[in-house]
Amino acid sequence: MQNILSMSSGHATAHLQSTPNSALLLRPLATGRGLWRCNARFRTSRPFKQIVKVEAHSKDSQSLSRRQALLLGAGTLAASNFATPDIVHAETKAVTASGIKSAETVQLGQSGLQISPVGVGAWSWGDRTGYWGYGNEYQKDDNLEAYKAVVGNGISFIDTSEVYGFGLSEEFLQDFMKQTGTQPVIATKFAPLPWRIREQNVVEACKKSLKRLGISKLGLYMIHWPGFITNGWCNDAFVQGLADCQQQGLTQAVGVSNFNLGRVKTAQQILKDRGTSLASNQVQYSLLYRAPEKNGVKQACEEGGTSLIAYSPLAQGLLTGKFTESNLPKGPRGATINKDRVAEVQPLLGLMRDIGSAHGGKTPGQVAINWTICKGAVPIPGAKSARQAKEAAGAFGWRLSNDEMAALDSESSKLPSALGAPFENW
Protein backbone atom coordinates (compact mmCIF):
# COMPACT_ATOMS: atom_id res chain seq x y z
CA MET A 1 0.00 0.00 0.00
CA GLN A 2 1.32 3.46 -0.86
CA ASN A 3 0.44 6.97 0.25
CA ILE A 4 1.55 10.10 -1.59
CA LEU A 5 0.96 13.48 0.10
CA SER A 6 1.64 16.61 -1.93
CA MET A 7 1.76 20.05 -0.35
CA SER A 8 1.09 23.49 -1.72
CA SER A 9 0.80 26.87 -0.05
CA GLY A 10 -2.44 27.04 1.91
CA HIS A 11 -3.60 23.59 0.83
CA ALA A 12 -2.90 19.95 1.47
CA THR A 13 -3.95 17.16 -0.84
CA ALA A 14 -3.62 13.44 -0.45
CA HIS A 15 -3.79 10.34 -2.60
CA LEU A 16 -4.20 6.85 -1.23
CA GLN A 17 -3.84 3.65 -3.14
CA SER A 18 -5.78 1.54 -0.70
CA THR A 19 -6.60 -2.06 -0.01
CA PRO A 20 -10.15 -3.17 0.89
CA ASN A 21 -9.16 -3.07 4.58
CA SER A 22 -7.97 0.52 4.69
CA ALA A 23 -9.52 3.96 4.68
CA LEU A 24 -8.22 7.50 4.45
CA LEU A 25 -9.72 10.62 5.92
CA LEU A 26 -8.37 14.08 5.13
CA ARG A 27 -10.02 16.89 7.05
CA PRO A 28 -9.25 20.30 8.52
CA LEU A 29 -7.69 20.21 11.98
CA ALA A 30 -9.18 23.57 12.86
CA THR A 31 -10.67 26.58 11.19
CA GLY A 32 -7.28 28.26 10.86
CA ARG A 33 -6.26 28.56 7.22
CA GLY A 34 -3.80 26.04 5.89
CA LEU A 35 -3.86 23.74 8.92
CA TRP A 36 -4.91 20.21 8.09
CA ARG A 37 -4.79 16.81 9.63
CA CYS A 38 -4.50 13.59 7.69
CA ASN A 39 -5.76 10.42 9.35
CA ALA A 40 -5.13 7.00 7.88
CA ARG A 41 -7.04 4.30 9.69
CA PHE A 42 -6.07 0.73 8.97
CA ARG A 43 -8.54 -2.00 9.79
CA THR A 44 -6.89 -5.33 10.31
CA SER A 45 -7.84 -8.72 11.61
CA ARG A 46 -6.18 -7.77 14.88
CA PRO A 47 -8.53 -6.93 17.82
CA PHE A 48 -7.72 -3.24 17.85
CA LYS A 49 -7.56 -0.21 15.60
CA GLN A 50 -4.32 1.27 14.43
CA ILE A 51 -4.49 5.00 14.04
CA VAL A 52 -1.74 6.80 12.22
CA LYS A 53 -1.59 10.58 12.43
CA VAL A 54 0.41 13.12 10.50
CA GLU A 55 0.04 16.85 10.90
CA ALA A 56 1.38 19.23 8.27
CA HIS A 57 1.53 23.02 8.41
CA SER A 58 1.37 24.27 4.84
CA LYS A 59 2.99 27.59 5.63
CA ASP A 60 6.24 26.15 6.93
CA SER A 61 6.40 22.64 5.48
CA GLN A 62 6.81 22.01 1.75
CA SER A 63 7.93 18.41 2.01
CA LEU A 64 7.42 15.51 4.37
CA SER A 65 10.11 14.39 6.77
CA ARG A 66 11.33 10.82 6.45
CA ARG A 67 9.40 9.89 9.60
CA GLN A 68 6.18 11.43 8.28
CA ALA A 69 6.55 9.65 4.99
CA LEU A 70 6.98 6.37 6.79
CA LEU A 71 3.91 7.06 8.90
CA LEU A 72 1.84 7.84 5.84
CA GLY A 73 2.79 4.54 4.33
CA ALA A 74 5.42 5.42 1.76
CA GLY A 75 7.30 2.62 3.51
CA THR A 76 5.55 -0.66 4.07
CA LEU A 77 2.86 -0.76 6.75
CA ALA A 78 2.11 -4.35 6.03
CA ALA A 79 4.41 -5.43 8.83
CA SER A 80 2.17 -5.88 11.83
CA ASN A 81 4.96 -5.09 14.27
CA PHE A 82 5.72 -1.63 12.83
CA ALA A 83 6.79 0.32 15.92
CA THR A 84 5.97 4.00 16.40
CA PRO A 85 4.47 6.00 19.28
CA ASP A 86 1.84 7.32 16.88
CA ILE A 87 0.23 3.90 16.52
CA VAL A 88 -2.12 3.20 19.41
CA HIS A 89 -3.64 -0.10 20.44
CA ALA A 90 -7.09 0.96 21.63
CA GLU A 91 -8.34 -0.51 24.87
CA THR A 92 -11.91 -1.64 24.33
CA LYS A 93 -12.75 -2.94 27.80
CA ALA A 94 -15.79 -1.22 29.30
CA VAL A 95 -15.26 0.92 32.39
CA THR A 96 -17.17 -0.25 35.46
CA ALA A 97 -17.09 0.68 39.13
CA SER A 98 -15.13 -1.69 41.35
CA GLY A 99 -15.90 -2.37 45.00
CA ILE A 100 -19.06 -0.24 44.95
CA LYS A 101 -22.62 -1.56 45.14
CA SER A 102 -25.18 0.72 43.52
CA ALA A 103 -28.81 -0.28 43.88
CA GLU A 104 -29.71 1.91 40.91
CA THR A 105 -27.81 2.87 37.76
CA VAL A 106 -28.39 4.99 34.67
CA GLN A 107 -26.67 5.05 31.31
CA LEU A 108 -24.69 8.13 30.34
CA GLY A 109 -25.92 9.21 26.92
CA GLN A 110 -25.50 6.46 24.33
CA SER A 111 -22.07 5.44 25.62
CA GLY A 112 -23.05 2.28 27.46
CA LEU A 113 -21.38 3.70 30.57
CA GLN A 114 -23.40 2.79 33.67
CA ILE A 115 -23.26 5.11 36.68
CA SER A 116 -25.28 5.83 39.80
CA PRO A 117 -28.12 8.37 39.31
CA VAL A 118 -26.19 10.81 41.51
CA GLY A 119 -22.48 11.51 41.28
CA VAL A 120 -20.22 13.63 43.45
CA GLY A 121 -18.16 16.59 42.34
CA ALA A 122 -14.59 16.77 43.66
CA TRP A 123 -14.01 20.46 42.91
CA SER A 124 -13.37 21.19 46.58
CA TRP A 125 -10.96 18.29 47.15
CA GLY A 126 -7.53 19.80 47.60
CA ASP A 127 -8.75 23.17 46.30
CA ARG A 128 -5.89 25.66 46.40
CA THR A 129 -7.75 28.78 45.29
CA GLY A 130 -9.28 29.54 48.68
CA TYR A 131 -12.81 29.31 47.27
CA TRP A 132 -13.90 26.34 49.39
CA GLY A 133 -11.70 26.87 52.43
CA TYR A 134 -9.44 23.84 52.03
CA GLY A 135 -6.67 23.90 54.61
CA ASN A 136 -8.73 25.99 57.01
CA GLU A 137 -12.27 24.65 57.18
CA TYR A 138 -11.38 21.08 56.16
CA GLN A 139 -8.34 18.91 55.34
CA LYS A 140 -7.37 15.97 53.13
CA ASP A 141 -8.54 13.55 55.83
CA ASP A 142 -12.02 15.07 55.59
CA ASN A 143 -11.99 14.48 51.83
CA LEU A 144 -10.91 10.89 52.43
CA GLU A 145 -13.84 10.33 54.77
CA ALA A 146 -16.10 11.91 52.16
CA TYR A 147 -14.75 9.48 49.55
CA LYS A 148 -15.34 6.51 51.85
CA ALA A 149 -18.92 7.65 52.40
CA VAL A 150 -19.41 8.15 48.66
CA VAL A 151 -18.39 4.64 47.66
CA GLY A 152 -19.82 3.08 50.82
CA ASN A 153 -23.27 4.44 50.07
CA GLY A 154 -23.54 3.35 46.45
CA ILE A 155 -22.36 6.43 44.56
CA SER A 156 -20.23 5.11 41.71
CA PHE A 157 -19.53 8.32 39.75
CA ILE A 158 -17.02 11.02 40.72
CA ASP A 159 -16.34 14.15 38.70
CA THR A 160 -13.03 16.01 38.84
CA SER A 161 -10.80 18.12 36.57
CA GLU A 162 -7.15 18.76 35.88
CA VAL A 163 -7.61 22.31 37.22
CA TYR A 164 -9.26 21.34 40.53
CA GLY A 165 -6.59 21.98 43.12
CA PHE A 166 -4.26 22.39 40.13
CA GLY A 167 -4.17 18.60 39.83
CA LEU A 168 -4.45 17.84 43.53
CA SER A 169 -8.05 16.65 43.29
CA GLU A 170 -7.02 13.96 40.80
CA GLU A 171 -4.03 12.98 42.97
CA PHE A 172 -6.27 12.74 46.03
CA LEU A 173 -8.54 10.38 44.12
CA GLN A 174 -5.61 8.09 43.33
CA ASP A 175 -4.66 7.99 47.02
CA PHE A 176 -8.23 7.36 48.13
CA MET A 177 -8.78 4.54 45.63
CA LYS A 178 -5.55 2.83 46.71
CA GLN A 179 -6.35 3.15 50.41
CA THR A 180 -9.86 1.71 50.03
CA GLY A 181 -9.34 -0.79 47.21
CA THR A 182 -12.23 0.73 45.29
CA GLN A 183 -12.57 2.44 41.93
CA PRO A 184 -15.60 4.50 40.92
CA VAL A 185 -16.31 5.57 37.36
CA ILE A 186 -14.21 8.70 37.06
CA ALA A 187 -14.89 11.73 34.91
CA THR A 188 -12.29 14.42 34.46
CA LYS A 189 -11.90 17.40 32.19
CA PHE A 190 -9.56 19.08 29.73
CA ALA A 191 -8.98 22.79 30.38
CA PRO A 192 -8.66 24.82 27.13
CA LEU A 193 -5.96 27.07 28.52
CA PRO A 194 -4.96 29.97 26.24
CA TRP A 195 -1.85 28.28 24.82
CA ARG A 196 -3.67 25.06 23.92
CA ILE A 197 -4.77 25.21 20.29
CA ARG A 198 -4.52 21.68 18.88
CA GLU A 199 -6.48 18.48 19.25
CA GLN A 200 -3.29 16.72 20.30
CA ASN A 201 -3.30 18.95 23.39
CA VAL A 202 -6.47 17.14 24.47
CA VAL A 203 -4.83 13.73 24.17
CA GLU A 204 -1.71 14.90 26.01
CA ALA A 205 -3.77 16.37 28.86
CA CYS A 206 -5.87 13.22 29.10
CA LYS A 207 -2.77 11.07 29.51
CA LYS A 208 -1.46 13.36 32.26
CA SER A 209 -4.80 13.16 34.09
CA LEU A 210 -4.70 9.36 33.88
CA LYS A 211 -1.23 9.40 35.41
CA ARG A 212 -2.34 11.64 38.29
CA LEU A 213 -5.35 9.40 38.84
CA GLY A 214 -3.30 6.23 38.61
CA ILE A 215 -5.71 4.48 36.24
CA SER A 216 -5.49 3.29 32.62
CA LYS A 217 -8.89 4.41 31.35
CA LEU A 218 -11.47 7.05 32.23
CA GLY A 219 -15.19 6.60 32.27
CA LEU A 220 -15.78 10.08 30.85
CA TYR A 221 -13.47 12.78 29.46
CA MET A 222 -14.82 16.28 28.85
CA ILE A 223 -13.87 19.72 27.61
CA HIS A 224 -14.25 21.87 30.75
CA TRP A 225 -15.35 25.06 28.98
CA PRO A 226 -15.25 26.32 25.39
CA GLY A 227 -12.08 28.01 24.25
CA PHE A 228 -12.24 31.78 23.83
CA ILE A 229 -10.12 34.75 22.69
CA THR A 230 -6.75 33.12 21.95
CA ASN A 231 -8.22 29.71 21.15
CA GLY A 232 -11.87 30.42 20.46
CA TRP A 233 -11.36 29.12 16.93
CA CYS A 234 -10.07 25.78 18.25
CA ASN A 235 -13.22 24.32 19.81
CA ASP A 236 -13.95 21.98 16.90
CA ALA A 237 -10.37 20.73 17.10
CA PHE A 238 -10.80 20.11 20.84
CA VAL A 239 -13.88 17.99 20.13
CA GLN A 240 -11.85 16.06 17.56
CA GLY A 241 -9.30 15.54 20.33
CA LEU A 242 -12.01 13.95 22.48
CA ALA A 243 -12.71 11.46 19.70
CA ASP A 244 -8.97 10.74 19.48
CA CYS A 245 -8.89 9.97 23.21
CA GLN A 246 -11.78 7.59 22.84
CA GLN A 247 -10.30 5.85 19.80
CA GLN A 248 -7.00 5.43 21.63
CA GLY A 249 -8.74 3.69 24.49
CA LEU A 250 -8.09 6.44 27.03
CA THR A 251 -11.78 6.91 27.87
CA GLN A 252 -15.04 5.09 27.32
CA ALA A 253 -17.20 8.16 26.83
CA VAL A 254 -16.62 11.78 25.87
CA GLY A 255 -18.50 14.95 26.74
CA VAL A 256 -18.37 18.71 27.10
CA SER A 257 -19.15 21.23 29.80
CA ASN A 258 -20.64 24.72 29.74
CA PHE A 259 -21.49 24.38 26.03
CA ASN A 260 -24.38 26.45 24.72
CA LEU A 261 -27.02 25.28 22.25
CA GLY A 262 -24.98 25.89 19.11
CA ARG A 263 -21.84 24.33 20.51
CA VAL A 264 -23.73 21.25 21.71
CA LYS A 265 -25.17 20.63 18.25
CA THR A 266 -21.79 21.14 16.59
CA ALA A 267 -20.10 18.73 19.00
CA GLN A 268 -22.83 16.15 18.47
CA GLN A 269 -22.32 16.31 14.70
CA ILE A 270 -18.51 16.19 14.84
CA LEU A 271 -18.56 13.14 17.06
CA LYS A 272 -21.24 11.48 14.96
CA ASP A 273 -18.99 11.95 11.92
CA ARG A 274 -16.21 10.28 13.88
CA GLY A 275 -18.41 7.28 14.57
CA THR A 276 -19.19 8.03 18.21
CA SER A 277 -21.51 10.22 20.25
CA LEU A 278 -21.55 13.10 22.72
CA ALA A 279 -22.31 11.37 26.01
CA SER A 280 -22.87 14.46 28.15
CA ASN A 281 -22.94 18.20 28.57
CA GLN A 282 -22.19 19.33 32.11
CA VAL A 283 -23.89 22.61 32.97
CA GLN A 284 -25.14 24.48 35.98
CA TYR A 285 -28.70 23.35 36.71
CA SER A 286 -30.81 23.61 39.84
CA LEU A 287 -34.10 24.88 41.21
CA LEU A 288 -32.44 28.30 41.33
CA TYR A 289 -30.80 28.11 37.90
CA ARG A 290 -33.09 26.73 35.23
CA ALA A 291 -31.52 28.36 32.19
CA PRO A 292 -30.91 25.00 30.41
CA GLU A 293 -34.69 24.59 30.20
CA LYS A 294 -35.05 27.97 28.50
CA ASN A 295 -32.00 28.34 26.26
CA GLY A 296 -32.49 25.10 24.33
CA VAL A 297 -29.53 23.24 25.83
CA LYS A 298 -31.61 20.66 27.71
CA GLN A 299 -33.80 19.99 24.67
CA ALA A 300 -30.80 19.62 22.36
CA CYS A 301 -29.27 17.13 24.75
CA GLU A 302 -32.46 15.11 24.96
CA GLU A 303 -32.95 15.08 21.20
CA GLY A 304 -29.33 14.13 20.53
CA GLY A 305 -29.09 11.34 23.09
CA THR A 306 -26.77 13.39 25.30
CA SER A 307 -27.09 13.27 29.09
CA LEU A 308 -27.27 16.52 31.02
CA ILE A 309 -24.94 16.48 34.02
CA ALA A 310 -26.00 19.09 36.57
CA TYR A 311 -23.31 20.83 38.58
CA SER A 312 -24.24 23.05 41.52
CA PRO A 313 -27.61 21.29 41.99
CA LEU A 314 -27.62 22.73 45.52
CA ALA A 315 -26.82 26.26 44.31
CA GLN A 316 -23.51 26.04 46.20
CA GLY A 317 -25.27 25.16 49.44
CA LEU A 318 -28.11 27.67 49.34
CA LEU A 319 -30.70 24.94 48.70
CA THR A 320 -29.62 22.90 51.71
CA GLY A 321 -31.21 25.41 54.06
CA LYS A 322 -28.05 25.60 56.19
CA PHE A 323 -27.48 29.31 55.63
CA THR A 324 -29.24 31.90 57.78
CA GLU A 325 -28.86 35.62 58.32
CA SER A 326 -26.42 34.84 61.11
CA ASN A 327 -24.68 31.96 59.31
CA LEU A 328 -23.53 33.05 55.87
CA PRO A 329 -20.73 31.50 53.78
CA LYS A 330 -17.28 32.97 53.99
CA GLY A 331 -15.09 33.91 51.06
CA PRO A 332 -16.26 34.50 47.46
CA ARG A 333 -19.60 32.72 47.93
CA GLY A 334 -20.61 35.36 50.45
CA ALA A 335 -20.91 37.88 47.62
CA THR A 336 -23.97 36.15 46.19
CA ILE A 337 -25.31 34.18 49.17
CA ASN A 338 -26.06 37.16 51.39
CA LYS A 339 -28.82 38.05 53.87
CA ASP A 340 -31.23 39.23 51.19
CA ARG A 341 -30.75 36.12 49.07
CA VAL A 342 -31.19 33.81 52.04
CA ALA A 343 -34.39 35.61 52.99
CA GLU A 344 -35.95 35.43 49.53
CA VAL A 345 -35.49 31.65 49.16
CA GLN A 346 -37.23 30.82 52.47
CA PRO A 347 -40.66 30.11 50.88
CA LEU A 348 -39.05 27.62 48.50
CA LEU A 349 -37.10 26.00 51.32
CA GLY A 350 -40.29 25.73 53.38
CA LEU A 351 -42.00 23.87 50.54
CA MET A 352 -38.96 21.59 50.18
CA ARG A 353 -39.07 20.74 53.89
CA ASP A 354 -42.77 19.84 53.63
CA ILE A 355 -42.12 17.63 50.60
CA GLY A 356 -39.14 16.01 52.29
CA SER A 357 -41.24 15.16 55.34
CA ALA A 358 -43.68 13.31 53.10
CA HIS A 359 -40.80 11.13 51.91
CA GLY A 360 -39.64 9.93 55.29
CA GLY A 361 -37.71 12.96 56.44
CA LYS A 362 -35.67 13.85 53.37
CA THR A 363 -33.74 17.10 53.70
CA PRO A 364 -34.20 20.17 51.47
CA GLY A 365 -30.86 19.31 49.85
CA GLN A 366 -32.03 15.80 49.03
CA VAL A 367 -35.25 17.18 47.57
CA ALA A 368 -33.23 19.61 45.43
CA ILE A 369 -31.00 16.83 44.10
CA ASN A 370 -33.96 14.54 43.44
CA TRP A 371 -35.64 17.34 41.50
CA THR A 372 -32.73 17.34 39.04
CA ILE A 373 -32.94 13.54 38.73
CA CYS A 374 -36.64 13.80 37.93
CA LYS A 375 -35.77 16.39 35.27
CA GLY A 376 -33.65 13.74 33.56
CA ALA A 377 -30.26 15.06 34.66
CA VAL A 378 -27.37 13.46 36.55
CA PRO A 379 -26.63 15.75 39.52
CA ILE A 380 -23.10 15.99 40.93
CA PRO A 381 -23.30 17.84 44.25
CA GLY A 382 -20.03 18.58 45.98
CA ALA A 383 -19.13 16.71 49.14
CA LYS A 384 -16.29 17.95 51.36
CA SER A 385 -17.20 15.68 54.28
CA ALA A 386 -18.70 12.28 55.02
CA ARG A 387 -21.90 13.94 56.21
CA GLN A 388 -22.38 15.73 52.89
CA ALA A 389 -21.60 12.55 50.93
CA LYS A 390 -24.16 10.54 52.89
CA GLU A 391 -26.76 13.21 52.32
CA ALA A 392 -26.11 13.10 48.57
CA ALA A 393 -26.52 9.31 48.59
CA GLY A 394 -29.92 9.70 50.24
CA ALA A 395 -31.17 11.70 47.28
CA PHE A 396 -31.74 8.69 45.01
CA GLY A 397 -33.69 5.45 45.30
CA TRP A 398 -36.94 7.37 45.44
CA ARG A 399 -38.72 9.92 43.24
CA LEU A 400 -40.78 13.07 43.67
CA SER A 401 -44.36 12.88 42.40
CA ASN A 402 -45.59 14.86 39.41
CA ASP A 403 -47.57 17.15 41.71
CA GLU A 404 -44.52 17.78 43.88
CA MET A 405 -42.42 18.57 40.81
CA ALA A 406 -45.06 21.00 39.57
CA ALA A 407 -45.19 22.74 42.95
CA LEU A 408 -41.41 23.09 43.07
CA ASP A 409 -41.31 24.40 39.49
CA SER A 410 -43.94 26.98 40.31
CA GLU A 411 -42.32 28.22 43.52
CA SER A 412 -38.80 28.36 42.07
CA SER A 413 -40.00 30.31 39.02
CA LYS A 414 -40.94 33.20 41.33
CA LEU A 415 -37.32 33.71 42.40
CA PRO A 416 -34.49 35.56 40.65
CA SER A 417 -32.16 33.17 38.92
CA ALA A 418 -28.72 32.43 40.32
CA LEU A 419 -25.80 33.76 38.32
CA GLY A 420 -24.71 31.58 35.43
CA ALA A 421 -21.14 30.83 34.41
CA PRO A 422 -19.80 33.24 31.77
CA PHE A 423 -18.59 30.23 29.76
CA GLU A 424 -22.12 29.57 28.58
CA ASN A 425 -22.06 32.74 26.48
CA TRP A 426 -18.70 32.11 24.82
Side-chain angles (χ1 to χ4, degrees):
M1 180 175 62
Q2 292 183 335
N3 278 342
I4 303 171
L5 180 65
S6 61
M7 301 290 295
S8 62
S9 179
H11 299 280
T13 59
H15 172 71
L16 171 69
Q17 183 177 337
S18 64
T19 67
N21 290 323
S22 67
L24 176 74
L25 172 65
L26 179 65
R27 57 177 172 75
L29 169 64
T31 57
R33 181 181 177 184
L35 186 59
W36 292 77
R37 170 181 167 185
C38 180
N39 275 358
R41 293 191 185 87
F42 302 94
R43 302 182 182 89
T44 71
S45 59
R46 302 171 73 181
F48 52 78
K49 293 181 180 178
Q50 292 179 320
I51 304 169
V52 181
K53 305 174 184 177
V54 173
E55 295 175 356
H57 294 260
S58 61
K59 292 183 179 180
D60 55 17
S61 298
Q62 296 299 319
S63 62
L64 295 176
S65 68
R66 181 174 180 274
R67 180 173 179 273
Q68 288 174 323
L70 285 172
L71 287 174
L72 273 175
T76 176
L77 285 178
S80 61
N81 292 324
F82 184 82
T84 168
D86 292 307
I87 293 182
V88 178
H89 298 178
E91 181 182 335
T92 57
K93 184 179 178 181
V95 174
T96 57
S98 174
I100 305 169
K101 295 182 179 180
S102 295
E104 184 181 357
T105 61
V106 296
Q107 179 172 283
L108 197 67
Q110 304 170 68
S111 68
L113 188 67
Q114 296 292 321
I115 59 174
S116 52
V118 172
V120 159
W123 177 11
S124 64
W125 294 7
D127 175 56
R128 290 191 264 191
T129 66
Y131 192 86
W132 293 106
Y134 175 74
N136 295 315
E137 299 177 24
Y138 64 100
Q139 308 294 332
K140 182 178 180 179
D141 287 346
D142 297 305
N143 291 159
L144 173 59
E145 293 306 311
Y147 176 86
K148 290 178 179 178
V150 165
V151 298
N153 286 276
I155 295 178
S156 63
F157 182 55
I158 295 183
D159 171 85
T160 184
S161 169
E162 64 173 338
V163 297
Y164 293 166
F166 307 115
L168 207 54
S169 177
E170 291 177 331
E171 292 175 4
F172 277 17
L173 267 171
Q174 177 178 176
D175 290 345
F176 299 163
M177 288 187 288
K178 286 181 177 178
Q179 289 186 50
T180 60
T182 60
Q183 184 172 322
V185 175
I186 295 178
T188 192
K189 298 183 280 293
F190 163 81
L193 302 172
W195 53 88
R196 289 175 167 174
I197 60 172
R198 299 167 57 241
E199 60 190 271
Q200 184 60 25
N201 296 143
V202 182
V203 178
E204 293 165 353
C206 184
K207 290 178 179 178
K208 289 178 181 178
S209 283
L210 286 169
K211 185 176 181 179
R212 284 189 292 270
L213 288 160
I215 59 177
S216 61
K217 188 173 184 178
L218 294 165
L220 174 67
Y221 194 50
M222 295 169 279
I223 298 170
H224 203 154
W225 62 81
F228 66 105
I229 305 178
T230 61
N231 56 7
W233 52 276
C234 302
N235 286 300
D236 290 357
F238 294 154
V239 176
Q240 297 285 3
L242 291 178
D244 293 342
C245 290
Q246 190 177 46
Q247 288 183 339
Q248 293 183 27
L250 305 178
T251 184
Q252 179 168 332
V254 293
V256 294
S257 181
N258 297 299
F259 269 38
N260 61 27
L261 173 61
R263 293 195 187 284
V264 166
K265 289 187 174 181
T266 298
Q268 288 172 333
Q269 187 60 53
I270 289 172
L271 292 171
K272 181 179 180 181
D273 292 342
R274 290 290 298 272
T276 185
S277 63
L278 182 68
S280 63
N281 181 24
Q282 185 181 129
V283 295
Q284 183 180 176
Y285 186 41
S286 73
L287 274 162
L288 293 178
Y289 189 78
R290 297 173 61 184
E293 298 175 5
K294 303 171 184 178
N295 58 22
V297 166
K298 186 172 182 290
Q299 182 177 349
C301 288
E302 292 170 348
E303 292 175 350
T306 299
S307 292
L308 193 76
I309 298 178
Y311 71 77
S312 294
L314 298 174
Q316 300 200 0
L318 185 56
L319 288 172
T320 64
K322 66 181 180 181
F323 296 125
T324 65
E325 291 186 5
S326 59
N327 178 36
L328 297 171
K330 299 176 183 179
R333 284 189 296 165
T336 54
I337 303 178
N338 51 37
K339 291 182 179 181
D340 291 340
R341 184 59 164 164
V342 168
E344 69 185 3
V345 300
Q346 290 309 309
L348 175 61
L349 288 170
L351 174 62
M352 294 165 71
R353 290 188 181 96
D354 291 342
I355 290 174
S357 296
H359 288 273
K362 295 298 181 181
T363 66
Q366 289 170 332
V367 171
I369 294 170
N370 197 273
W371 176 88
T372 59
I373 296 174
C374 292
K375 288 288 186 176
V378 178
I380 50 167
K384 295 185 290 186
S385 65
R387 180 187 60 77
Q388 290 178 344
K390 290 175 182 177
E391 183 168 357
F396 67 97
W398 57 282
R399 293 293 185 272
L400 295 166
S401 70
N402 291 338
D403 288 345
E404 289 167 338
M405 288 293 292
L408 290 167
D409 284 351
S410 175
E411 192 63 39
S412 67
S413 66
K414 301 174 184 177
L415 297 171
S417 175
L419 294 176
F423 313 128
E424 298 175 12
N425 299 315
W426 294 346

